[in-house]
Amino acid sequence: MADLGTAGVALALFGGAIRASTPFLFVSLGECLTELSGRINLGLEGTLVAGAMSAYGVSLLSGSPWLGVLAAAGTGALLGALHAGLCSLARVNDIAVGIALMVLGTGLAFFFGKPLIQPRAPMLPALHFCVGCHFAPLRAALDINPLFLIGVALAFLLRWGLANTRPGLVLRTVGDSSDAARAMGYAPRLVRLWATMAGGSLAGIGGAFLSLYYPGSWNEGLSSGQGLIAVALVIFARWRPLACLFASLLFGAAGALGPALQSIGVHQGSYLFYAAPYALTLAIMIATSSRRHTLAGAPGELSVTR
Amino acid sequence: MPAGMMSALALRLGAWPRARRRVIGRLAEAWLLPILALGAALLLFGGFVAASGADPADAAALIWRGAFGTWFSWQNTLQKASPLLLTGLAMALPARAGLMVIGGEGALVLGGLACAVIGASLAGWGESASAALFAQATMLAGGMAAGALWLMIPGALRQWRGVNETISSLLLNTIAIAVMNQLVEGPLRDPASLNKPSTPPLSPALMLGHVPGLSVHVGLAFGLVLCLGAGVLMQHTRFGFSAGVNSGNPRAALMVGIGVGRLVLIACALAGACAGLAGAVEVAAVQGSATASLAAGYGYSGILVAFLARHNPFAIIPVAILLGGIEASDGLLQRHLDLPDATVAVLQGFVFVAVLAAETFSGRLSQWFGARHG
Amino acid sequence: MSLGPSFSRRTLLGMASGAAAGALAFSQRARAAGALEVGFLYVGSRDDYGYNQAHAEGAAAVKKMAGVKVLEEERVPETVDVVKSMDSMIELDGASLLFPTSFGYYNPFVLQEAKKYSKVQFRHCGGLWVEKDPKNAGSYFGYIDECQYLSGIVAGHMSKTKKLGFVAAKPIPQVLRNINAFTLGAQLVDPSITTTVIFTGDWSMPVKEAEATNALADQGIDVVTCHVDGPKVTIQTAESRGIYTCGYHVDQAKLAPKGYLTGAEWNWATVYQNFVAEMQAGKPLPNFVRGGLREGIVKTSPYGAMVPAAARAQTDAVKAKLVAGDYVIFKGPVADNTGKQVIPPGTSHGQTDIWLEKMDWLASGVVGKT
């Protein structure tokens, strides 16, 4: 039985990393886009929660979970537009706006989400990659939600698009220097508006994954701070979409490690397992920062790296 | 305000000397702008309440009654405001020196934990009044020291490694809460705390009491005194001036010969001490021991309090009272209008957004007063 | 700004007087009726399919009684906030009977309030009241481990792998007692049965609860139950993994039509209605109310269709003895999972034995650590 135990842990970690990482993946890709345009959105926690609520509500009312995902993206885009609009006003601080929208987003989600706690909404389906196999743990680990695959594809797409397409270049130019972008005839405000809206809608989809797939329920305690920590993930990944994917898998696996180890009777320091990726992010920041230059890869206009 | 009234006011102002007009302009900016923003937020909220099927006038009456309508409500409001005074300072003080440290939550939690541990080890000191006083001072000082040391980390990392203090302090919050939980459920757990893991309870003699005449714990007094003290520090001393120079332009600060490193560290330490004190008060006046309930989000609310107060310690007082009042009305809205508990969070969100957006007009109003009729 | 100042002033005046009238109206409404104002405070949301819903269902039963007005507040944290909420119910609404339902409210908050308002009655869920505490405070409490024991018997019959799972919040006595009762029940069917327990660290951690349920299923466990505030996630996740579940707090059969075997439920309606009726009759309220199946404070969910007759028969037999009051769950010899004998042969710890309330061990056959 011991063999199945450790194999079980490996499988639980593998499956858990995929399941728990998807929200991290979406919020970090979203935040990555926003930050590359030169602005930080600390309010993605509110966006994530509002996205989760609207996805659940729309799925319940319409019967279609994919419409729910769309609604989450729309909610996220709206909150993103609000963030971008407020930040484009002179003398308005983007950190403060982020935290204000965290309060507003979660407040609205909890307000409208009250009647949604009890009903059961139609869930997103899983794709079964373990066709015809009879080993239940493996089958479960290979039941993968399409949103995860979309997220992975998006990470590759963003990596390619940021380097090789015109919008990608414009985005990075705006993020590196507003003046340069203006000189080239681009309006930084508009670019940032689009980037923040796109970032918000991705965070909203991350929330939809929580409420419509895993854990697949709506209540006030649904998010465990995935949106708040998106900022750290992006720095961990140094603004590279593929590294966001890697970082999300790591953070997801760290969350899955505690329960998986307990299932074979290892019970030490579960809180510390959970905090480990955050400590690791901090250690990486300390190791790679320097007084002389900003973090490698950081957008020049980003307030938090100057 | 209607345009007619505005211009009549301006006409009358036109007869006043320029210096006084500028003062009026500044006052108008400090008070009028936030009040207009607050009004806008309330209107928005009224529409929101109406749309969700409740009567906005009822809601307004209940919020007023729950927050400021009776002497009882006032005490409730002040109680809710007390931790926000301290966590607001924890954000505002480093911000005055140009640092966006959002680590108040972590410093609060560790301050509370330190206070609980010290208090439990001084249990015997509760026997005489003077020894108890000394023990209480030690507990609070311990909480402040723990918070100060914790928030000096982001300050030091920023100063000597160039690590962004906003992100590092955000990460430190998560780490602090995990450390607290691990300790409270592990080595520091009182074996008698059966169903709610906590550190050993403080002896009742070591618990902090209420502000005389109020049913509000002494945290309120600490908060008020520290806000006033910090206001004086920031606006009337060399330290405050240096901090201001540093926040505007670190290079200029170097040229004036201000020790930037020391300045940043002191600002962070003071901030951490305030948040740590808030945690210590939570333990010594409310909970009686350190538990998971310490991480109640006061640190995050403090960030918004500070921004709404534009990092002015004096202004933190009315802002904290306003937010405390909104929170105090939560129960009545739930009980009488059957509105969800998140209603007050929505109102707070509207207030934050409106006041932050109004910030963009700052500077223009005093200009308007000064220039147009000057 | 075409609206003149007079318009806005009139509107404002109108609003203010309307508001004043409204405020007057509700304070009068309450007093004129002479209704008994009863306050309920919940730590989470009322419809969480769990702990808080169980209490809210009790409150709903009180609402149906004549001459009672029920005041409810949700998501009240275990901080000074709960003191202020109770204050507000008493001072602003005239509540005279309060039910703060979360365990963490009692010490120091309910105790403080009971001292401050000696005319108001406080009854707290959790069984913490002792003789030295204020007489206007009190506790009520249910022996839900009896139902967990019955769930264990059903689970023991249904499990093919002989491995059960338990998703728990924290290793505290009430939780450990449930885990042990569940395991001992299952071992009646087959002494070789094990229960693997996973602690999530807090009362409401949806992602971790789902992760824990999956990790259990990955270990070949085929019946899962839980002790967290909202079992919805655990039950749904187990259902999607195709394994059986036993519910907790309230009936969750609707969430898992294929795998819901039975469940351990609270029946607070009786407790609350009794308190309120005694208050209305002007009788003194008891300080300590506790009981199990016999007193009707706990109940079991109806069996799922998949539970076979043999399992039902054995469970019903034990249940009948529990209802009659002549059955002891924690009866020696019982060893803990480190091999130490915790209950020697011939020793019985009946439900009222406070020794059980200090439980800090996991029975032999439980995989896990306190």
Side-chain angles (χ1 to χ4, degrees):
Chain A
M1 279 324 251
D3 283 348
L4 175 66
T6 35
V9 169
L11 272 176
L13 260 189
F14 173 74
I18 287 178
R19 287 186 298 253
S21 67
T22 310
F24 285 122
L25 177 58
F26 277 92
V27 287
S28 64
L29 288 178
E31 182 68 23
C32 188
L33 267 183
T34 309
E35 287 190 19
L36 280 173
S37 79
R39 208 174 261 154
I40 186 166
N41 184 355
L42 276 182
L44 284 191
E45 178 73 12
T47 314
L48 176 98
V49 173
M53 185 280 296
S54 41
Y56 201 79
V58 168
S59 171
L60 183 71
L61 292 176
S62 71
S64 159
W66 289 107
L67 269 185
V69 174
L70 216 59
T75 309
L78 275 179
L79 284 169
L82 187 56
H83 184 278
L86 287 170
C87 288
S88 68
L89 300 172
R91 279 177 296 271
V92 176
N93 180 292
D94 54 359
I95 291 176
V97 170
I99 294 190
L101 288 186
M102 185 163 93
V103 174
L104 184 64
T106 44
L108 288 171
F110 291 179
F111 187 94
F112 291 112
K114 197 54 106 184
L116 301 175
I117 296 174
Q118 202 163 51
R120 183 154 162 61
M123 294 284 123
L124 288 170
L127 300 175
H128 307 286
F129 281 87
C130 194
V131 187
C133 71
H134 297 290
F135 187 47
L138 187 63
R139 199 170 57 221
L142 289 178
D143 273 358
I144 293 173
N145 185 271
L147 280 181
F148 175 73
L149 302 176
I150 293 173
V152 172
L154 200 61
F156 282 94
L157 187 74
L158 281 179
R159 186 199 134 70
W160 173 80
L162 285 169
N164 300 310
T165 66
R166 195 184 167 83
L169 291 176
V170 171
L171 181 75
R172 282 167 46 216
T173 311
V174 167
D176 274 332
S177 162
S178 298
D179 292 339
R182 237 175 258 123
M184 289 162 65
Y186 299 112
R189 271 188 197 183
L190 202 63
V191 174
R192 288 189 182 131
L193 173 69
W194 284 113
T196 317
M197 282 174 70
S201 62
L202 288 181
I205 295 175
F209 178 87
L210 283 175
S211 64
L212 290 182
Y213 185 70
Y214 194 78
S217 165
W218 159 254
N219 69 46
E220 286 101 343
L222 182 62
S223 159
S224 40
Q226 288 99 334
L228 192 58
I229 223 66
V231 195
L233 270 161
V234 173
I235 289 193
F236 189 91
R238 307 262 208 97
W239 299 274
R240 291 169 302 177
L242 285 187
C244 283
L245 172 60
F246 167 74
S248 305
L249 285 170
L250 184 74
F251 275 57
L257 188 61
L261 281 178
Q262 285 193 46
S263 73
I264 56 161
V266 178
H267 279 263
Q268 287 300 315
S270 50
Y271 289 106
L272 299 184
F273 280 133
Y274 174 68
Y278 305 97
L280 190 60
T281 308
L282 187 60
I284 287 178
M285 280 179 78
I286 295 170
T288 56
S289 298
S290 149
R291 282 191 79 178
R292 304 247 162 69
H293 57 83
T294 55
L295 278 168
E301 289 280 317
L302 196 61
S303 61
V304 294
T305 53
R306 274 185 294 182
Chain B
M1 192 181 289
M5 261 170 83
M6 199 74 144
S7 55
L9 184 69
L11 267 180
R12 226 176 292 158
L13 283 173
W16 289 2
R18 195 186 193 129
R20 188 185 287 182
R21 278 207 307 274
R22 209 169 289 141
V23 171
I24 303 245
R26 228 178 292 141
L27 274 179
E29 197 173 289
W31 289 99
L32 197 61
L33 213 52
I35 288 173
L36 285 178
L38 194 61
L42 282 173
L43 279 180
L44 203 60
F45 178 72
F48 179 84
V49 168
S52 60
D55 183 353
D58 269 0
L62 282 171
I63 290 175
W64 177 256
R65 189 165 127 91
F68 308 109
T70 69
W71 175 227
F72 163 79
S73 312
W74 260 102
Q75 303 197 55
N76 195 347
T77 295
L78 290 174
Q79 180 65 78
K80 304 240 174 188
S82 342
L84 304 184
L85 293 171
L86 291 167
T87 54
L89 280 177
M91 173 78 209
L93 292 175
R96 290 294 285 259
L99 269 75
M100 296 283 125
V101 177
I102 55 176
E105 186 83 359
L108 181 148
V109 160
L110 291 183
L113 188 64
C115 169
V117 170
I118 296 171
S121 67
L122 297 180
W125 293 64
E127 280 155 27
S128 81
S130 56
L133 203 62
F134 179 75
Q136 286 170 336
T138 315
M139 283 152 53
L140 295 180
M144 291 170 86
L149 286 173
W150 189 251
L151 279 199
M152 280 165 84
I153 300 174
L157 287 178
R158 149 84 177 235
Q159 204 52 41
W160 286 289
R161 287 294 307 177
V163 175
N164 174 256
E165 74 283 0
T166 312
I167 310 290
S168 64
S169 55
L170 180 67
L171 292 167
L172 285 169
N173 282 342
T174 313
I175 296 171
I177 293 171
V179 166
M180 185 266 296
N181 276 323
Q182 191 73 40
L183 291 175
V184 165
E185 295 198 6
L188 296 181
R189 178 170 177 184
D190 174 18
S193 66
L194 293 175
N195 285 317
K196 185 169 184 189
S198 54
T199 57
L202 300 182
S203 108
L206 296 188
M207 290 291 287
L208 299 174
H210 286 166
V211 176
L214 297 181
S215 70
V216 182
H217 64 60
V218 291
L220 175 68
F222 295 150
L224 290 176
V225 168
L226 282 178
C227 279
L228 295 176
V232 171
L233 180 75
M234 282 298 160
Q235 295 187 349
H236 302 282
T237 66
R238 204 171 140 232
F239 177 82
F241 173 73
S242 315
V245 173
N246 186 49
S247 107
N249 184 349
R251 251 179 232 133
L254 277 179
M255 274 157 61
V256 191
I258 300 164
V260 175
R262 216 173 52 177
L263 187 78
V264 161
L265 272 193
I266 294 178
C268 287
L270 289 176
C274 289
L277 180 62
V281 168
E282 269 316 289
V283 166
V286 180
Q287 301 275 358
S289 62
T291 71
S293 307
L294 269 179
Y298 296 134
Y300 288 108
S301 307
I303 299 170
L304 285 160
V305 169
F307 270 104
L308 259 51
R310 290 190 199 154
H311 309 304
N312 175 345
F314 294 128
I316 285 179
I317 298 174
V319 171
I321 291 177
L322 174 71
L323 291 191
I326 294 178
E327 277 177 26
S329 59
D330 171 23
L332 280 179
L333 289 178
Q334 280 196 57
R335 272 147 30 207
H336 291 286
L337 295 185
D338 214 16
L339 286 168
D341 53 274
T343 312
V344 291
V346 172
L347 175 55
Q348 281 187 344
F350 284 150
V351 169
F352 292 143
V353 168
V355 174
L356 287 176
E359 192 85 332
T360 193
F361 296 107
S362 74
R364 293 189 203 170
L365 213 61
S366 54
Q367 230 172 31
W368 185 82
F369 272 101
R372 197 168 144 200
H373 306 283
Chain C
M1 283 291 171
S2 59
L3 304 175
S6 63
F7 175 83
S8 57
R9 198 186 306 134
R10 199 182 308 139
T11 329
L12 269 176
L13 280 174
M15 266 178 73
S17 61
L24 210 64
F26 66 65
S27 57
Q28 278 173 346
R29 208 185 306 149
R31 278 187 203 132
L36 176 67
E37 303 258 351
V38 183
F40 289 85
L41 299 104
Y42 314 110
V43 74
S45 279
R46 256 178 286 183
D47 32 14
D48 62 354
Y49 256 114
Y51 186 86
N52 298 293
Q53 184 172 328
H55 287 290
E57 284 172 4
V62 172
K63 259 184 224 165
K64 288 190 196 124
M65 299 170 75
V68 179
K69 185 159 184 306
V70 170
L71 308 161
E72 292 174 283
E73 269 188 54
E74 292 176 285
R75 303 206 332 120
V76 182
E78 292 170 355
T79 63
V80 74
D81 283 6
V82 69
V83 174
K84 291 297 164 189
S85 286
M86 287 190 276
D87 278 352
S88 173
M89 284 182 174
I90 296 165
E91 299 264 355
L92 298 183
D93 289 339
S96 50
L97 173 59
L98 290 185
F99 294 108
T101 60
S102 182
F103 190 85
Y105 290 156
Y106 191 71
N107 191 358
F109 309 120
V110 171
L111 289 177
Q112 275 172 19
E113 288 293 283
K115 282 175 198 144
K116 190 163 143 198
Y117 296 103
S118 56
K119 298 251 165 62
V120 178
Q121 294 292 327
F122 298 84
R123 290 297 176 273
H124 172 259
C125 180
L128 290 173
W129 187 86
V130 288
E131 278 299 323
K132 68 176 172 56
D133 289 345
K135 296 287 178 269
N136 58 328
S139 289
Y140 52 96
F141 181 52
Y143 302 126
I144 199 158
D145 54 324
E146 293 178 352
C147 301
Q148 286 282 11
Y149 189 72
L150 298 175
S151 291
I153 300 175
V154 177
H157 278 278
M158 300 301 290
S159 174
K160 290 194 183 70
T161 60
K162 301 297 168 200
K163 288 162 78 178
L164 314 180
F166 204 113
V167 179
K170 295 181 182 231
I172 60 171
Q174 284 181 358
V175 174
L176 301 179
R177 186 166 168 179
N178 278 337
I179 297 171
N180 289 337
F182 182 71
T183 308
L184 292 174
Q187 288 173 347
L188 279 188
V189 182
D190 181 346
S192 71
I193 286 180
T194 62
T195 303
T196 303
V197 54
I198 295 184
F199 294 106
T200 58
D202 219 331
W203 295 103
S204 181
M205 305 286 278
V207 174
K208 279 197 187 162
E209 288 155 16
E211 209 43 63
T213 313
N214 272 311
L216 290 170
D218 285 346
Q219 290 296 326
I221 280 153
D222 58 358
V223 187
V224 170
T225 188
C226 63
H227 186 165
V228 295
D229 271 357
K232 192 179 178 199
V233 165
T234 304
I235 303 285
Q236 282 181 181
T237 309
E239 179 83 353
S240 73
R241 289 294 301 260
I243 59 177
Y244 293 125
T245 48
C246 297
Y248 193 61
H249 294 309
V250 296
D251 187 357
Q252 286 111 12
K254 263 196 279 181
L255 298 174
K258 289 199 294 262
Y260 192 84
L261 303 175
T262 180
E265 297 178 35
W266 303 102
N267 188 20
W268 295 127
T270 329
V271 180
Y272 289 140
Q273 285 182 328
N274 285 348
F275 274 128
V276 171
E278 274 160 35
M279 189 96 171
Q280 282 175 323
K283 284 192 264 184
L285 298 192
N287 290 105
F288 211 116
V289 172
R290 56 182 176 181
L293 285 163
R294 184 180 165 78
E295 293 78 8
I297 295 181
V298 296
K299 59 186 177 187
T300 54
S301 316
Y303 298 116
M306 70 299 278
V307 179
R312 294 180 190 220
Q314 188 180 6
T315 313
D316 286 340
V318 175
K319 187 175 174 183
K321 285 187 202 160
L322 282 165
V323 170
D326 49 12
Y327 192 92
V328 177
I329 294 172
F330 292 98
K331 190 166 66 183
V334 175
D336 72 6
N337 63 357
T338 65
K340 204 178 89 191
Q341 193 176 67
V342 279
I343 308 177
T347 307
S348 285
H349 294 283
Q351 285 298 43
T352 52
D353 192 336
I354 57 159
W355 181 80
L356 293 174
E357 281 157 36
K358 297 195 177 88
M359 196 169 282
D360 59 355
W361 47 272
L362 286 165
S364 168
V366 179
V367 180
K369 210 165 148 250
T370 54

